Amino acid sequence: GENVEQHPSTLSVQEGDSAVIKCTYSDSASNYFPWYKQELGKRPQLIIDIRSNVGEKKDQRIAVTLNKTAKHFSLHITETQPEDSAVYFCAVGTGGYNKLIFGAGTRLAVHP
Amino acid sequence: AAGVIQSPRHLIKEKRETATLKCYPIPRHDTVYWYQQGPGQDPQFLISFYEKMQSDKGSIPDRFSAQQFSDYHSELNMSSLELGDSALYFCASSFGQGSQPQHFGDGTRLSIL
């Protein structure tokens, strides 16, 4: 089955810096790659997603890049703010009905 | 905009009891997914339904069952509860099959005493 690895597990940055989180996956048939932000005790919130026919997608301060050949994708957050502090999960949509397989998560701390 | 509604938000049960979790998807969404998230862990896929039929199955124990009804809401039935079943249970919904965004509800926090 699909295996998703996410790095780093924790990331600490100063406000205004950029943050990059990387994920690798194993199944070359996987075709959907969302990123979720989860605050403590709350629901995972979809922040951006990319499909396998696209290499890069941007939404304001957030961007995702996908390298299908290398089977990895990354989340880029620019001009980080304290409210960006949360756990970020990458996920891979796999199978005909695209169940999501999640990475282990990255705890991002943005210090003022 | 309407979101995924889950009930109850919190549930406390004792070992060997049963529990039923409910999920009401976003209007017009026809696919429902259930995930289990333990403390400090990532969500684990349990089961999904598309158009009232089971579409995929993950690491769901045999003690659990689920179904999707004609109004597209779904219920997760859990029996012979164990301490290890204590977790956050999320329901997500999407429209159609394939690479469609899944939107999560606020979850049900199940505590087994």
Side-chain angles (χ1 to χ4, degrees), chain B residues 26-62:
Chain B
I26 292 171
R28 296 201 310 122
H29 281 195
D30 50 16
T31 308
V32 168
Y33 307 80
W34 287 96
Y35 294 88
Q36 177 192 59
Q37 187 176 31
Q41 298 181 359
D42 56 288
Q44 295 289 312
F45 171 74
L46 293 177
I47 196 167
S48 63
F49 293 87
Y50 168 69
E51 283 290 345
K52 293 152 280 185
M53 298 286 289
Q54 180 181 309
S55 54
D56 207 342
K57 196 171 182 180
S59 51
I60 184 169
D62 292 340

Side-chain angles (χ1 to χ4, degrees), chain B:
Chain B
V4 177
I5 305 297
Q6 289 187 247
S7 66
R9 291 295 312 280
H10 303 273
L11 191 57
I12 300 175
K13 291 286 185 178
E14 295 192 355
K15 288 193 302 183
R16 293 180 289 277
E17 286 192 321
T18 62
T20 297
L21 279 53
K22 296 185 178 183
C23 168
Y24 295 85
I26 292 171
R28 296 201 310 122
H29 281 195
D30 50 16
T31 308
V32 168
Y33 307 80
W34 287 96
Y35 294 88
Q36 177 192 59
Q37 187 176 31
Q41 298 181 359
D42 56 288
Q44 295 289 312
F45 171 74
L46 293 177
I47 196 167
S48 63
F49 293 87
Y50 168 69
E51 283 290 345
K52 293 152 280 185
M53 298 286 289
Q54 180 181 309
S55 54
D56 207 342
K57 196 171 182 180
S59 51
I60 184 169
D62 292 340
R63 300 177 288 108
F64 295 5
S65 64
Q67 58 182 323
Q68 185 179 32
F69 294 86
S70 58
D71 64 351
Y72 295 101
H73 95 272
S74 178
E75 295 184 4
L76 178 65
N77 299 292
M78 312 161 74
S79 63
S80 303
L81 289 168
E82 302 173 355
L83 293 176
D85 297 328
S86 295
L88 264 172
Y89 289 83
F90 288 105
C91 171
S93 74
S94 68
F95 176 68
Q97 306 173 50
S99 309
Q100 299 302 320
Q102 293 183 27
H103 298 277
F104 282 69
D106 287 331
T108 293
R109 182 174 296 280
L110 175 63
S111 299
I112 309 302
L113 303 179

Side-chain angles (χ1 to χ4, degrees), chain A residues 6-111:
Chain A
Q6 182 171 345
H7 299 280
S9 56
T10 60
L11 182 57
S12 182
V13 299
Q14 290 296 126
E15 183 177 0
D17 287 351
S18 295
V20 180
I21 303 170
K22 299 180 179 180
C23 286
T24 61
Y25 61 98
S26 60
D27 187 353
S28 56
S30 294
N31 56 11
Y32 178 61
F33 309 91
W35 285 89
Y36 287 85
K37 174 184 179 182
Q38 187 176 33
E39 298 177 23
L40 188 62
K42 296 194 175 181
R43 64 183 176 91
Q45 180 185 1
L46 178 66
I47 56 173
I48 197 167
D49 59 5
I50 193 168
R51 292 171 177 77
S52 57
N53 59 345
V54 177
E56 184 174 357
K57 183 176 179 181
K58 189 174 181 180
D59 183 4
Q60 300 183 348
R61 297 185 297 111
I62 294 174
V64 56
T65 58
L66 171 65
N67 184 326
K68 280 186 61 180
T69 302
K71 288 188 281 189
H72 68 71
F73 58 113
S74 299
L75 177 71
H76 305 254
I77 306 175
T78 59
E79 301 172 27
T80 53
Q81 302 167 2
E83 50 265 39
D84 293 330
S85 297
V87 177
Y88 290 80
F89 289 100
C90 65
V92 175
T94 188
Y97 296 90
N98 265 8
K99 66 184 178 190
L100 296 179
I101 306 300
F102 286 81
T106 296
R107 183 172 301 278
L108 173 65
V110 181
H111 302 284

